[in-house]
Amino acid sequence: MALSFAKDIRPLFREGDIDCMKTMGIDLDDPAWMCVPANAESVYGTVSAGSMPPDEPWPAARVALLKQWMDAGCPG
């Protein structure tokens, strides 16, 4: 199964998460921003540590999907 940002990754982030993080210069809904390896690693590190989103950590399957997308080269 080929992953894509629009189909698989963007839907992982809620609108509130996107709006909150945008104020800090983190563009979770921008594929160009998310495809920068350092940015993707930063987001991955935060969600895999369970510190984002603040209300409830992502399930392991969701974290794994983000990692799978990154490992595939962050396809748009």
Side-chain angles (χ1 to χ4, degrees):
M1 169 181 102
L3 295 174
S4 78
F5 180 82
K7 179 175 62 80
D8 301 296
I9 303 307
R10 169 56 187 86
L12 298 177
F13 301 103
R14 301 172 299 192
E15 291 302 319
D17 300 333
I18 290 167
D19 292 342
C20 177
M21 298 308 290
K22 214 171 268 237
T23 65
M24 294 179 253
I26 299 169
D27 291 323
L28 298 173
D29 63 341
D30 180 355
W33 189 90
M34 283 291 290
C35 287
V36 173
N39 295 343
E41 283 290 337
S42 176
V43 172
Y44 174 75
T46 306
V47 298
S48 65
S51 55
M52 184 180 97
D55 57 344
E56 180 179 352
W58 277 10
R62 185 178 282 195
V63 174
L65 182 63
L66 178 60
K67 179 69 169 144
Q68 182 182 356
W69 174 76
M70 291 166 51
D71 290 346
C74 302

